Amino acid sequence: MSAAAFTVVIPARLASSRLPRKPLADIAGKPMVVRVAERALQSAAAQVWVAADAPEIIDACQAHGVQALPTRADHASGSDRLAEACALLGLPEDAVVVNVQGDEPLMAPGLIDAVAALMHRHTHCPMGTAAHPIASAADFANPNVVKVVLDARGRASYFSRAPIPHARGAQPGGAWWQGAAAAGLAPLHHIGIYSYRAGFVQTFARLAPAPTEQLEQLEQLRALWHGHAIAVHVTTTAPGAGVDTPQDLERVRTLFAAGGTPA
């Protein structure tokens, strides 16, 4: 692999409380996990792998020409599955890995490339992710929209479900919004895509859960708690939403049927 090369790993788990057998859900004639892999294959990745916990996912991927490898069924998180996949693939410690979630069939290939590039630009950061400006007061107040605040170097200071940064004495969504944007503090919506150095994937899997992580239910806070920097790529374009519910699935099916997927 060249110095700028990277690998995409897509963790896929068959069980899902809100959408049973989600990776195999049909989207325009192909399983969702295959649609995600196809988006990743349009990026500059040197290789794309699905890391699955069930033979049915492996079979579905292979039927569509997507590389897949079996991983344990008892992983507590996608990052644990990613760590096993990196070990199985024999990736060197300095290899760049991008974790694309298996329920993101609208993930833009260009965003995958940009998040991978963070590892080459921010040489002291073992981890990278992405964000985009929040466009509405409703999203800013929504605890399901995770916010991130950056430092002067473009690294994450904190992630939260709370509306941050908050102007003292102002109501979220008020006139302060434009002023904050002009000051370079526009509220940012975190996008759930991550790049890592492969060696740090193993380190992360061994770190003790952080109190902030458990309070906010945001796994990325574990890295910050233990002193590891996270570089953040800010894009002006919000990616298509992932699939969590049957309603999300129908929305994405409609979009694919119309031929509308992001560049």
Side-chain angles (χ1 to χ4, degrees), residues 180-242:
L185 289 174
L188 296 173
H189 179 183
H190 175 235
I191 303 168
I193 180 174
Y194 299 94
S195 55
Y196 305 86
R197 304 186 203 287
F200 182 70
V201 174
Q202 308 301 330
T203 298
F204 186 87
R206 294 191 296 267
L207 293 175
T212 49
E213 168 193 358
Q214 294 172 319
L215 183 66
E216 298 253 22
Q217 289 297 291
L218 297 174
E219 191 180 38
Q220 64 270 31
L221 288 172
R222 185 184 311 178
L224 296 184
W225 177 265
H226 289 281
H228 300 287
I230 303 175
V232 182
H233 168 74
V234 178
T235 175
T236 57
T237 305

Side-chain angles (χ1 to χ4, degrees), residues 165-189:
H166 176 66
R168 182 178 177 182
Q171 294 299 315
W176 73 272
W177 193 288
Q178 289 75 21
L185 289 174
L188 296 173
H189 179 183

Side-chain angles (χ1 to χ4, degrees), residues 9 11 51 69 71-72 75 77-91 97 99 196 198-206:
V9 176
L69 68 161
T71 54
R72 288 167 26 202
H75 285 305
S77 68
S79 57
D80 291 335
R81 194 173 311 285
L82 177 69
E84 183 186 0
C86 289
L88 291 172
L89 291 170
L91 297 177
V97 183
N99 179 352
Y196 305 86
F200 182 70
V201 174
Q202 308 301 330
T203 298
F204 186 87
R206 294 191 296 267

Side-chain angles (χ1 to χ4, degrees), residues 7 121 130 133 141 161 186 195 198-199 213 250:
T7 296
R121 292 205 316 273
R161 298 183 182 279
S195 55
E213 168 193 358
E250 289 308 313

